[in-house]
Amino acid sequence: MQITLETKPYATLEADALVSYIFEESDPIQSHLLEIDRSTNGLLKKLVKAGELTGKTLEFTLIHAPAGLAASRLLLVGAGKREQFSGATLRKIAGAATRALKAKGAKKIVFLVGENDANDASAQAVAEAATTANFETDKYKTDKKTDKNIESIAIAGYSESSRAAAEAAIATGRTIGDAQNFTRDLVNEPSNKLTPRVLGEKAEAMAREAGLAVEVLDERRIADLKMGALLSVAQGGPEPPRVIVITYVPPKPNPGAPVIGLIGKAVTFDTGGVSIKPADGMEKMKYDMAGGATMLGVMRAIATLKPNVKVICVVPSTENVVSGSAQKPGDIQTSMSGKTIEVLNTDAEGRLILADGITFAKQLGATVLIDAATLTGAIVVALANVNVGVFGSDQPFTDKLLASAKASGEKMWQLPMDDEYREFMKGSFADLQNISSGKGGGSITGAWFIREFAGDTPWIHLDIAGTAWNDDAKPWLAKGPTAVALRTLVHLVMSY
Ligand code: BES
Ligand code: MN
Ligand code: ZN
């Protein structure tokens, strides 16, 4: 898909559809719609009067062959109340319009941004949303929706004097949208197609193409490094584990900036191990590598966006399967850090592999740490499929991430980390145990386990178990992987 900026009068723009949005107001035909209303001889005002056009959020009004416009369709999308409008609403509108129009066979669309919103952030948001909306999860279908993809979108409503800045914003949006699709493509892969080895190869290919330094550690290197926690998960199956390390070195490092370590859980399939999961819904455990895929997507984006901060990405990857060689409840493992762990439940494997991933990232020189993981079912109980769970050991750093989430239109919510929860993870026969000895708060106790390995290094944990996968298609996004947290992390890295 091509994304361009168009500054010509919209009525003259030829396209399969001209798209804009309308607010739920007493006088909804505001500035950017006035020209369309005039060109169409008062059509919009008539539609409002007839009650056809209310501006209610995501209400679609499609008009064919609108007299007075060069476009063959006019699509107006409800944007809700003006005062509640945000980048997040604009993303949904642009994404939903893209998906609705491609289903109708449109190839070329013009998206008109309202006068009051025609800034760089909007241009970036529309480019991102159109890019992610144009992505389908039908790689393994023989009858593909991808054949119906939109070929070009022109973003209109901008003045010629703002062209350079708006085009740069579009390019940024494009980069981030492409990175999200890269992540979604990985997450969508089933476990028979995407083993830790294949993930390593794909990460290596991506890094080479993006010009990033990359190293994929095999099982021998992992054993040399004494990553006992990761190896304990991997020992249950024939597929060897991998640790992917990708480094971004800035051309102009900000001397005050930290070295950011991004650690992502990449369990390519989680059966639970000997503490096996129920059959119902187990197929979804192919997305248990979403944290790792998100971090790889972040690296892909920043290779192009070139922040002023060094970033080290560490993705430990393994399957969690069952066999005679699988670890068993009660087994005691020694992690890379030297801390010992009683594995009371083999299904709490994400924290085991993150423990070694975090220790390794610190050893490689990371001075702040962020991990992303589909860590707990309990986060779905706490926050449903709406918010990412955020946990942190350093409030100013956590606040910075939450500000990036807000700016990126991703919903995230911080949970507490009182010392009381920490007690639940102390082991009886080893330093730590991998599940809580108490009741409830499963996402918090899981976070505490990981925090023990971060130690005094400022650390944030993102539990994306509830948000990395959409069970149902959204009007603006296909069913399946969401690449949640990628935009926030890119924004955070760019803010140094
Ligand atoms: N991968 C799962 C968490 C998960 C659950 C991800 C639902 C996506 C959707 C994780 O490895 C796991 O099994 N966690 C256990 C932890 C428990 C044994 C303490 C869980 O949440 O049940
Ligand atoms: Mn598990
Ligand atoms: Zn898991």
Side-chain angles (χ1 to χ4, degrees):
M1 181 177 47
Q2 239 196 328
I3 312 178
T4 54
L5 191 82
E6 185 55 85
T7 58
K8 291 199 201 82
Y10 5 112
T12 67
L13 297 175
E14 279 179 30
D16 296 318
L18 171 64
V19 186
S20 198
Y21 48 92
I22 178 164
F23 292 106
E24 192 179 351
E25 300 288 333
S26 50
D27 180 18
I29 310 300
Q30 296 181 353
S31 50
H32 66 287
L33 297 178
L34 274 173
E35 182 181 330
I36 297 181
D37 190 55
R38 268 196 299 271
S39 311
T40 57
N41 203 8
L43 176 65
L44 300 193
K45 287 200 176 115
K46 278 178 224 156
L47 285 167
V48 169
K49 214 166 166 193
E52 285 274 335
L53 203 53
T54 67
K56 286 209 169 60
T57 309
L58 290 186
E59 173 194 77
F60 273 53
T61 309
L62 183 64
I63 298 134
H64 280 262
L69 296 181
S72 33
R73 300 178 186 85
L74 171 63
L75 173 62
L76 289 166
V77 184
K81 297 263 190 287
R82 169 94 218 155
E83 65 270 18
Q84 276 158 26
F85 187 73
S86 67
T89 328
L90 186 59
R91 277 195 180 82
K92 285 182 184 169
I93 292 169
T98 303
R99 292 188 70 71
L101 288 166
K102 78 175 196 168
K104 293 192 183 295
K107 294 290 169 201
K108 181 173 187 234
I109 63 182
V110 177
F111 189 93
L112 172 62
V113 177
E115 231 162 60
N116 299 323
D117 317 314
N119 51 38
D120 298 343
S122 297
Q124 181 181 328
V126 172
E128 268 167 20
T131 304
T132 50
N134 212 26
F135 175 88
E136 300 297 342
T137 43
D138 60 358
K139 180 172 168 189
Y140 294 108
K141 290 205 175 183
T142 47
D143 175 22
K144 288 193 203 315
K145 274 195 204 159
T146 307
D147 301 339
K148 292 189 126 190
N149 275 355
I150 298 284
E151 285 164 9
S152 77
I153 172 164
I155 301 176
Y158 289 74
S159 66
E160 196 49 43
S161 63
S162 61
R163 176 175 289 279
E167 282 181 342
I170 290 174
T172 299
R174 182 50 185 265
T175 297
I176 295 173
D178 282 342
Q180 290 178 95
N181 290 346
F182 169 81
T183 292
R184 292 164 72 202
D185 199 31
L186 288 177
V187 175
N188 194 45
E189 289 290 323
S191 75
N192 62 325
K193 308 272 185 200
L194 191 96
T195 59
R197 278 185 292 178
V198 175
L199 183 64
E201 285 161 14
K202 287 185 187 259
E204 204 163 343
M206 178 279 285
R208 291 254 149 79
E209 205 184 313
L212 295 165
V214 56
E215 205 177 352
V216 179
L217 311 188
D218 64 10
E219 62 275 26
R220 278 194 38 212
R221 295 281 309 282
I222 293 170
D224 289 346
L225 286 165
K226 299 194 162 59
M227 294 190 173
L230 169 60
L231 286 169
S232 76
V233 180
Q235 76 185 43
E239 284 296 335
R242 291 289 182 264
V243 175
I244 300 158
V245 182
I246 301 180
T247 311
Y248 166 80
V249 182
K252 286 178 288 179
N254 171 352
V259 177
I260 302 178
L262 300 178
I263 303 97
K265 168 180 175 183
V267 173
T268 56
F269 197 85
D270 183 10
T271 67
V274 169
S275 315
I276 200 159
K277 288 184 180 296
D280 194 30
M282 204 206 270
E283 71 283 355
K284 274 177 62 187
M285 282 302 115
K286 69 172 188 174
Y287 88 88
D288 213 18
M289 34 61 73
T294 298
M295 294 316 192
L296 295 176
V298 171
M299 296 311 285
R300 187 184 193 270
I302 66 171
T304 303
L305 301 177
K306 304 215 183 313
N308 298 322
V309 59
K310 183 170 175 180
V311 184
I312 304 171
C313 170
V314 175
V315 177
S317 183
T318 178
E319 293 189 322
N320 186 26
V321 296
V322 218
S323 74
S325 66
Q327 71 176 331
K328 298 170 285 296
D331 285 3
I332 294 180
Q333 308 294 357
T334 304
S335 67
M336 184 187 183
S337 72
K339 281 192 207 306
T340 55
I341 305 162
E342 258 180 275
V343 179
L344 297 185
N345 188 316
T346 64
D347 198 11
E349 85 298 342
R351 56 198 75 181
L352 296 175
I353 77 169
L354 288 171
D356 285 344
I358 282 188
T359 303
F360 193 42
K362 286 206 292 187
Q363 195 184 87
L364 293 173
T367 61
V368 299
L369 304 162
I370 307 174
D371 77 71
T374 46
L375 201 79
T376 63
I379 203 68
V380 186
V381 179
L383 301 172
N385 304 111
V386 179
N387 275 280
V388 171
V390 178
F391 305 82
S393 64
D394 177 296
Q395 199 54 43
F397 185 40
T398 309
D399 286 340
K400 198 166 159 59
L401 176 113
L402 291 169
S404 286
K406 196 151 219 151
S408 310
E410 291 190 311
K411 286 185 191 284
M412 300 205 179
W413 195 261
Q414 187 178 0
L415 282 93
M417 289 219 69
D418 305 84
D419 285 333
E420 283 87 336
Y421 301 104
R422 184 182 192 178
E423 294 302 311
F424 294 143
M425 301 307 283
K426 297 225 159 109
S428 308
F429 306 105
D431 300 334
L432 294 165
Q433 54 188 47
N434 78 331
I435 56 167
S436 171
S437 57
K439 279 205 170 65
S443 303
I444 304 174
T445 50
W448 254 117
F449 181 92
I450 302 169
R451 180 170 170 178
E452 297 288 356
F453 296 86
D456 295 334
T457 308
W459 157 89
I460 294 169
H461 160 60
L462 302 175
D463 194 334
I464 58 170
T467 43
W469 189 266
N470 266 338
D471 283 325
D472 301 303
K474 302 261 195 254
W476 55 89
L477 210 70
K479 173 178 172 159
T482 62
V484 72
L486 187 150
R487 287 207 306 267
T488 298
L489 291 170
V490 170
H491 187 279
L492 178 74
V493 170
M494 295 307 293
S495 71
Y496 283 96

PDB file of all heavy atoms in Angstrom, residues 448-469:
ATOM      1  N   TRP A 448       6.567 -10.212  40.606  1.00  0.00           N
ATOM      2  CA  TRP A 448       7.589 -10.186  41.662  1.00  0.00           C
ATOM      3  C   TRP A 448       8.702 -11.207  41.409  1.00  0.00           C
ATOM      4  O   TRP A 448       9.877 -10.949  41.663  1.00  0.00           O
ATOM      5  CB  TRP A 448       6.972 -10.424  43.045  1.00  0.00           C
ATOM      6  CG  TRP A 448       6.896  -9.182  43.861  1.00  0.00           C
ATOM      7  CD1 TRP A 448       5.766  -8.558  44.319  1.00  0.00           C
ATOM      8  CD2 TRP A 448       8.009  -8.390  44.329  1.00  0.00           C
ATOM      9  NE1 TRP A 448       6.112  -7.427  45.026  1.00  0.00           N
ATOM     10  CE2 TRP A 448       7.471  -7.300  45.055  1.00  0.00           C
ATOM     11  CE3 TRP A 448       9.395  -8.484  44.189  1.00  0.00           C
ATOM     12  CZ2 TRP A 448       8.272  -6.323  45.647  1.00  0.00           C
ATOM     13  CZ3 TRP A 448      10.200  -7.501  44.774  1.00  0.00           C
ATOM     14  CH2 TRP A 448       9.641  -6.439  45.492  1.00  0.00           C
ATOM     15  N   PHE A 449       8.298 -12.358  40.902  1.00  0.00           N
ATOM     16  CA  PHE A 449       9.310 -13.383  40.597  1.00  0.00           C
ATOM     17  C   PHE A 449      10.325 -12.808  39.611  1.00  0.00           C
ATOM     18  O   PHE A 449      11.539 -12.911  39.814  1.00  0.00           O
ATOM     19  CB  PHE A 449       8.624 -14.627  40.004  1.00  0.00           C
ATOM     20  CG  PHE A 449       9.585 -15.737  39.672  1.00  0.00           C
ATOM     21  CD1 PHE A 449       9.870 -16.727  40.596  1.00  0.00           C
ATOM     22  CD2 PHE A 449      10.222 -15.780  38.428  1.00  0.00           C
ATOM     23  CE1 PHE A 449      10.775 -17.751  40.292  1.00  0.00           C
ATOM     24  CE2 PHE A 449      11.120 -16.794  38.120  1.00  0.00           C
ATOM     25  CZ  PHE A 449      11.399 -17.781  39.050  1.00  0.00           C
ATOM     26  N   ILE A 450       9.827 -12.165  38.559  1.00  0.00           N
ATOM     27  CA  ILE A 450      10.736 -11.612  37.538  1.00  0.00           C
ATOM     28  C   ILE A 450      11.587 -10.502  38.151  1.00  0.00           C
ATOM     29  O   ILE A 450      12.792 -10.402  37.903  1.00  0.00           O
ATOM     30  CB  ILE A 450       9.920 -11.071  36.345  1.00  0.00           C
ATOM     31  CG1 ILE A 450       9.065 -12.188  35.743  1.00  0.00           C
ATOM     32  CG2 ILE A 450      10.835 -10.490  35.278  1.00  0.00           C
ATOM     33  CD1 ILE A 450       8.040 -11.687  34.739  1.00  0.00           C
ATOM     34  N   ARG A 451      10.958  -9.675  38.982  1.00  0.00           N
ATOM     35  CA  ARG A 451      11.660  -8.538  39.586  1.00  0.00           C
ATOM     36  C   ARG A 451      12.862  -8.966  40.419  1.00  0.00           C
ATOM     37  O   ARG A 451      13.861  -8.244  40.513  1.00  0.00           O
ATOM     38  CB  ARG A 451      10.673  -7.742  40.449  1.00  0.00           C
ATOM     39  CG  ARG A 451      11.323  -6.547  41.120  1.00  0.00           C
ATOM     40  CD  ARG A 451      10.271  -5.656  41.749  1.00  0.00           C
ATOM     41  NE  ARG A 451      10.888  -4.649  42.598  1.00  0.00           N
ATOM     42  CZ  ARG A 451      10.213  -3.716  43.246  1.00  0.00           C
ATOM     43  NH1 ARG A 451       8.901  -3.675  43.156  1.00  0.00           N
ATOM     44  NH2 ARG A 451      10.837  -2.829  43.993  1.00  0.00           N
ATOM     45  N   GLU A 452      12.774 -10.156  41.011  1.00  0.00           N
ATOM     46  CA  GLU A 452      13.903 -10.646  41.807  1.00  0.00           C
ATOM     47  C   GLU A 452      15.175 -10.722  40.966  1.00  0.00           C
ATOM     48  O   GLU A 452      16.278 -10.601  41.487  1.00  0.00           O
ATOM     49  CB  GLU A 452      13.588 -12.044  42.385  1.00  0.00           C
ATOM     50  CG  GLU A 452      12.411 -12.094  43.346  1.00  0.00           C
ATOM     51  CD  GLU A 452      12.705 -11.451  44.707  1.00  0.00           C
ATOM     52  OE1 GLU A 452      13.855 -11.032  44.949  1.00  0.00           O
ATOM     53  OE2 GLU A 452      11.750 -11.362  45.509  1.00  0.00           O
ATOM     54  N   PHE A 453      15.011 -10.912  39.669  1.00  0.00           N
ATOM     55  CA  PHE A 453      16.182 -11.050  38.791  1.00  0.00           C
ATOM     56  C   PHE A 453      16.634  -9.699  38.258  1.00  0.00           C
ATOM     57  O   PHE A 453      17.781  -9.527  37.886  1.00  0.00           O
ATOM     58  CB  PHE A 453      15.872 -12.049  37.671  1.00  0.00           C
ATOM     59  CG  PHE A 453      15.619 -13.426  38.224  1.00  0.00           C
ATOM     60  CD1 PHE A 453      14.355 -13.808  38.659  1.00  0.00           C
ATOM     61  CD2 PHE A 453      16.672 -14.320  38.386  1.00  0.00           C
ATOM     62  CE1 PHE A 453      14.127 -15.047  39.239  1.00  0.00           C
ATOM     63  CE2 PHE A 453      16.459 -15.570  38.953  1.00  0.00           C
ATOM     64  CZ  PHE A 453      15.179 -15.937  39.383  1.00  0.00           C
ATOM     65  N   ALA A 454      15.717  -8.734  38.231  1.00  0.00           N
ATOM     66  CA  ALA A 454      16.099  -7.376  37.822  1.00  0.00           C
ATOM     67  C   ALA A 454      16.905  -6.714  38.931  1.00  0.00           C
ATOM     68  O   ALA A 454      17.793  -5.901  38.676  1.00  0.00           O
ATOM     69  CB  ALA A 454      14.856  -6.554  37.490  1.00  0.00           C
ATOM     70  N   GLY A 455      16.590  -7.061  40.177  1.00  0.00           N
ATOM     71  CA  GLY A 455      17.324  -6.498  41.309  1.00  0.00           C
ATOM     72  C   GLY A 455      17.143  -4.992  41.385  1.00  0.00           C
ATOM     73  O   GLY A 455      16.023  -4.483  41.280  1.00  0.00           O
ATOM     74  N   ASP A 456      18.249  -4.262  41.524  1.00  0.00           N
ATOM     75  CA  ASP A 456      18.183  -2.805  41.675  1.00  0.00           C
ATOM     76  C   ASP A 456      18.085  -2.080  40.340  1.00  0.00           C
ATOM     77  O   ASP A 456      17.973  -0.862  40.303  1.00  0.00           O
ATOM     78  CB  ASP A 456      19.426  -2.297  42.420  1.00  0.00           C
ATOM     79  CG  ASP A 456      19.472  -2.817  43.849  1.00  0.00           C
ATOM     80  OD1 ASP A 456      18.385  -3.113  44.405  1.00  0.00           O
ATOM     81  OD2 ASP A 456      20.589  -2.949  44.399  1.00  0.00           O
ATOM     82  N   THR A 457      18.164  -2.794  39.247  1.00  0.00           N
ATOM     83  CA  THR A 457      18.073  -2.142  37.936  1.00  0.00           C
ATOM     84  C   THR A 457      16.613  -1.758  37.681  1.00  0.00           C
ATOM     85  O   THR A 457      15.741  -2.618  37.791  1.00  0.00           O
ATOM     86  CB  THR A 457      18.564  -3.120  36.836  1.00  0.00           C
ATOM     87  OG1 THR A 457      19.861  -3.601  37.217  1.00  0.00           O
ATOM     88  CG2 THR A 457      18.648  -2.436  35.488  1.00  0.00           C
ATOM     89  N   PRO A 458      16.340  -0.474  37.356  1.00  0.00           N
ATOM     90  CA  PRO A 458      14.950  -0.082  37.091  1.00  0.00           C
ATOM     91  C   PRO A 458      14.311  -1.011  36.058  1.00  0.00           C
ATOM     92  O   PRO A 458      14.916  -1.295  35.012  1.00  0.00           O
ATOM     93  CB  PRO A 458      15.081   1.345  36.552  1.00  0.00           C
ATOM     94  CG  PRO A 458      16.349   1.853  37.158  1.00  0.00           C
ATOM     95  CD  PRO A 458      17.266   0.653  37.235  1.00  0.00           C
ATOM     96  N   TRP A 459      13.114  -1.436  36.376  1.00  0.00           N
ATOM     97  CA  TRP A 459      12.497  -2.517  35.586  1.00  0.00           C
ATOM     98  C   TRP A 459      10.993  -2.288  35.442  1.00  0.00           C
ATOM     99  O   TRP A 459      10.339  -1.807  36.357  1.00  0.00           O
ATOM    100  CB  TRP A 459      12.810  -3.830  36.306  1.00  0.00           C
ATOM    101  CG  TRP A 459      11.898  -4.988  36.035  1.00  0.00           C
ATOM    102  CD1 TRP A 459      12.013  -5.920  35.043  1.00  0.00           C
ATOM    103  CD2 TRP A 459      10.721  -5.349  36.794  1.00  0.00           C
ATOM    104  NE1 TRP A 459      10.991  -6.836  35.142  1.00  0.00           N
ATOM    105  CE2 TRP A 459      10.192  -6.503  36.203  1.00  0.00           C
ATOM    106  CE3 TRP A 459      10.083  -4.798  37.910  1.00  0.00           C
ATOM    107  CZ2 TRP A 459       9.032  -7.137  36.676  1.00  0.00           C
ATOM    108  CZ3 TRP A 459       8.927  -5.414  38.388  1.00  0.00           C
ATOM    109  CH2 TRP A 459       8.420  -6.570  37.765  1.00  0.00           C
ATOM    110  N   ILE A 460      10.496  -2.620  34.261  1.00  0.00           N
ATOM    111  CA  ILE A 460       9.048  -2.593  33.999  1.00  0.00           C
ATOM    112  C   ILE A 460       8.663  -3.932  33.379  1.00  0.00           C
ATOM    113  O   ILE A 460       9.395  -4.466  32.539  1.00  0.00           O
ATOM    114  CB  ILE A 460       8.674  -1.451  33.025  1.00  0.00           C
ATOM    115  CG1 ILE A 460       8.926  -0.074  33.657  1.00  0.00           C
ATOM    116  CG2 ILE A 460       7.203  -1.562  32.579  1.00  0.00           C
ATOM    117  CD1 ILE A 460       8.822   1.073  32.669  1.00  0.00           C
ATOM    118  N   HIS A 461       7.523  -4.432  33.824  1.00  0.00           N
ATOM    119  CA  HIS A 461       7.004  -5.681  33.238  1.00  0.00           C
ATOM    120  C   HIS A 461       5.626  -5.402  32.645  1.00  0.00           C
ATOM    121  O   HIS A 461       4.782  -4.776  33.279  1.00  0.00           O
ATOM    122  CB  HIS A 461       6.930  -6.740  34.349  1.00  0.00           C
ATOM    123  CG  HIS A 461       6.011  -7.894  34.066  1.00  0.00           C
ATOM    124  ND1 HIS A 461       6.178  -8.746  32.992  1.00  0.00           N
ATOM    125  CD2 HIS A 461       4.912  -8.350  34.740  1.00  0.00           C
ATOM    126  CE1 HIS A 461       5.215  -9.668  33.026  1.00  0.00           C
ATOM    127  NE2 HIS A 461       4.447  -9.450  34.067  1.00  0.00           N
ATOM    128  N   LEU A 462       5.436  -5.851  31.410  1.00  0.00           N
ATOM    129  CA  LEU A 462       4.145  -5.684  30.737  1.00  0.00           C
ATOM    130  C   LEU A 462       3.511  -7.064  30.576  1.00  0.00           C
ATOM    131  O   LEU A 462       4.070  -7.918  29.866  1.00  0.00           O
ATOM    132  CB  LEU A 462       4.340  -5.032  29.366  1.00  0.00           C
ATOM    133  CG  LEU A 462       5.042  -3.665  29.368  1.00  0.00           C
ATOM    134  CD1 LEU A 462       5.268  -3.192  27.927  1.00  0.00           C
ATOM    135  CD2 LEU A 462       4.236  -2.636  30.147  1.00  0.00           C
ATOM    136  N   ASP A 463       2.391  -7.291  31.238  1.00  0.00           N
ATOM    137  CA  ASP A 463       1.684  -8.565  31.069  1.00  0.00           C
ATOM    138  C   ASP A 463       0.652  -8.382  29.952  1.00  0.00           C
ATOM    139  O   ASP A 463      -0.364  -7.701  30.119  1.00  0.00           O
ATOM    140  CB  ASP A 463       1.017  -8.989  32.376  1.00  0.00           C
ATOM    141  CG  ASP A 463       0.570 -10.466  32.337  1.00  0.00           C
ATOM    142  OD1 ASP A 463       0.319 -10.978  31.220  1.00  0.00           O
ATOM    143  OD2 ASP A 463       0.473 -11.097  33.421  1.00  0.00           O
ATOM    144  N   ILE A 464       0.938  -8.997  28.801  1.00  0.00           N
ATOM    145  CA  ILE A 464       0.100  -8.816  27.615  1.00  0.00           C
ATOM    146  C   ILE A 464      -0.744 -10.059  27.313  1.00  0.00           C
ATOM    147  O   ILE A 464      -1.255 -10.203  26.202  1.00  0.00           O
ATOM    148  CB  ILE A 464       0.955  -8.411  26.379  1.00  0.00           C
ATOM    149  CG1 ILE A 464       2.034  -9.466  26.090  1.00  0.00           C
ATOM    150  CG2 ILE A 464       1.610  -7.047  26.590  1.00  0.00           C
ATOM    151  CD1 ILE A 464       2.764  -9.246  24.740  1.00  0.00           C
ATOM    152  N   ALA A 465      -0.905 -10.933  28.320  1.00  0.00           N
ATOM    153  CA  ALA A 465      -1.665 -12.173  28.074  1.00  0.00           C
ATOM    154  C   ALA A 465      -3.099 -11.878  27.621  1.00  0.00           C
ATOM    155  O   ALA A 465      -3.665 -12.605  26.816  1.00  0.00           O
ATOM    156  CB  ALA A 465      -1.665 -13.044  29.326  1.00  0.00           C
ATOM    157  N   GLY A 466      -3.691 -10.798  28.138  1.00  0.00           N
ATOM    158  CA  GLY A 466      -5.076 -10.503  27.791  1.00  0.00           C
ATOM    159  C   GLY A 466      -5.243  -9.647  26.544  1.00  0.00           C
ATOM    160  O   GLY A 466      -6.355  -9.498  26.036  1.00  0.00           O
ATOM    161  N   THR A 467      -4.178  -9.067  26.069  1.00  0.00           N
ATOM    162  CA  THR A 467      -4.305  -8.034  25.031  1.00  0.00           C
ATOM    163  C   THR A 467      -3.540  -8.332  23.738  1.00  0.00           C
ATOM    164  O   THR A 467      -3.714  -7.615  22.754  1.00  0.00           O
ATOM    165  CB  THR A 467      -3.804  -6.683  25.591  1.00  0.00           C
ATOM    166  OG1 THR A 467      -2.590  -6.910  26.320  1.00  0.00           O
ATOM    167  CG2 THR A 467      -4.833  -6.065  26.513  1.00  0.00           C
ATOM    168  N   ALA A 468      -2.715  -9.356  23.741  1.00  0.00           N
ATOM    169  CA  ALA A 468      -1.898  -9.631  22.556  1.00  0.00           C
ATOM    170  C   ALA A 468      -2.694 -10.351  21.461  1.00  0.00           C
ATOM    171  O   ALA A 468      -2.230 -10.465  20.329  1.00  0.00           O
ATOM    172  CB  ALA A 468      -0.673 -10.465  22.939  1.00  0.00           C
ATOM    173  N   TRP A 469      -3.885 -10.811  21.833  1.00  0.00           N
ATOM    174  CA  TRP A 469      -4.686 -11.603  20.885  1.00  0.00           C
ATOM    175  C   TRP A 469      -6.147 -11.152  20.919  1.00  0.00           C
ATOM    176  O   TRP A 469      -6.737 -11.074  21.993  1.00  0.00           O
ATOM    177  CB  TRP A 469      -4.602 -13.090  21.264  1.00  0.00           C
ATOM    178  CG  TRP A 469      -5.197 -14.024  20.267  1.00  0.00           C
ATOM    179  CD1 TRP A 469      -6.464 -14.521  20.266  1.00  0.00           C
ATOM    180  CD2 TRP A 469      -4.551 -14.592  19.118  1.00  0.00           C
ATOM    181  NE1 TRP A 469      -6.648 -15.359  19.192  1.00  0.00           N
ATOM    182  CE2 TRP A 469      -5.483 -15.421  18.464  1.00  0.00           C
ATOM    183  CE3 TRP A 469      -3.254 -14.480  18.588  1.00  0.00           C
ATOM    184  CZ2 TRP A 469      -5.176 -16.131  17.311  1.00  0.00           C
ATOM    185  CZ3 TRP A 469      -2.946 -15.182  17.428  1.00  0.00           C
ATOM    186  CH2 TRP A 469      -3.902 -15.997  16.801  1.00  0.00           C
TER     187      TRP A 469
END
